[in-house]
Amino acid sequence: MKKKAAVAMSGGVDSSLCAALLKEQGYEVIGITMRLSDESRETDGLSTAAVDAKRVADFLGIEHETADFRELFGRRVVDCFLDEYLAGRTPNPCVICNRFLKFGALFALARERGADFIATGHYARVEEEADGSFAIKKGRDERKDQSYVLYRLPREVLPHILFPLGEQAKTETRALAETLGLPVAHKTESQEICFVPGDDYKAYLMRHRPDCFSPGEIVDAAGNVLGQHAGLPFYTIGQRRGLGIAAPHPLYVAALDRENNRVIVAENAAVYASALLAEDVNWLIAPPAVPLSVRAKIRYGSREAEARVTPLASGRIEVTFAEAQRAVTPGQSVVFYAGERLLGGATIRRSL
C-alpha cells in the first residue's frame, strides 16, 4: 500500500517540485495550500499562491485543497509579530509559523486526510539516528540551509516529516522544475514576509499598530540627548545609517529602551556581547541538565560560533560565546548545532 504524503503547497517552485518528486518516488500525494491572510487576493477570492498551487496539482494529477487558517495565523503569527515590535523586540515570524501552522495545524489536518507524512520545500533533512530517534539536519546546500527556522518543531512530529529538497542545491531545484515542465518553473522566488505587502514592515506596523511609532529621544549611554527618533520600530540593534545625529565618531544602536521610549546609541565596541539570556527554549534532543558545548547562530544569516549553553533554574538558558557576537537582538532566535545536527534553540531576551 502506498504511503500518503500531504505537501504544503505555496505555489512556488520549491513546494511544487516537492510534490512532483514525492509522486515520482511512489507516494500518494495530496497538496494543501494554507490561506493565511487577506492581504493579497484575486477577484475570484483565491490568493495567487492558491491559484498557482492548483495549477501545479492539476498538472501532476494530484488532489488539492485550500485550507483556511486565517484566524489561527492572525492570532499566533501576526499578533505576535505586531506585539513584539510594540515591546521593542525584533521577531522572526517564520519560526512561529513553522511551529504552530505548518507543523502544527497543517500537520493535524494532513493526518485527518489520512496522510502518513507532511512534506515541505525546506532545505533541510530529517534522518533517523542509530538509537531510533529522529534528527533535523542542515540542508546540503549551505547557502540555502533553512534548519534555523525549524528549531521549534515538536520532537514527536519529526518521524512524519519529509524534506525532499534537503539533499540538493537551489540551482538544481530550478533546473529540475524546468525539466519536469512544472507550470511555476520560472516563478520568481519571494524573499518577503508572506503577510507583509511589498515587504514594507514599517508601513504594515503603522497601519496595524500606530501606537508603536511614538517619537522620542536618541541618547548615548550616559543619557545625553543627541537627537530625536521617529519611533522604536524604525531601528534595530547594530544600525548606523538613518540615525540623523552628528557625532565625532560613528555611533550605532546599542539598545531600544521601550520603558523610556529611547534609542540608546554607542560606539561599535558596545554593540558586541559575549553572552545572552534566552527563553522559550525548545530542544530537539533530551534537554541537557548541565552546560552543553554547541555551535550557535544568533540570526538566520549569521555565522555559527562556539558557545556554551547553561540551563537555568528559571527554565531560561544563558549562552556564552567564545568570541563576542555583534548585535545580539531581543526577539530573534539563538539556535544550536552539533555538526550538521540541529539541537534546538530559544528566543533571545537580552544580551549580558
Side-chain angles (χ1 to χ4, degrees), residues 58-79:
D58 290 344
F59 176 81
L60 295 174
I62 63 173
E63 293 181 30
H64 176 267
E65 67 174 287
T66 298
D68 190 346
F69 288 129
R70 285 175 295 175
E71 188 278 330
L72 179 63
F73 184 76
R75 175 163 46 87
R76 282 290 192 180
V77 180
V78 177
D79 286 350

Side-chain angles (χ1 to χ4, degrees), residues 7 9 11-21 52-53 56 60 182 184:
V7 179
M9 297 185 70
V13 178
D14 292 340
S15 61
S16 298
L17 182 60
C18 203
L21 291 176
D52 286 344
V56 173
L60 295 174
L182 296 182
V184 295

Side-chain angles (χ1 to χ4, degrees), residues 26-41:
Y27 288 90
E28 179 186 349
V29 179
I30 60 172
I32 305 177
T33 300
M34 296 185 294
R35 184 175 180 184
L36 301 177
S37 73
D38 292 317
E39 294 291 346
S40 176
R41 291 180 61 185

Side-chain angles (χ1 to χ4, degrees), residues 262-274:
R262 283 179 159 185
V263 173
I264 301 173
V265 297
E267 294 185 49
N268 190 48
V271 183
Y272 284 80
S274 295

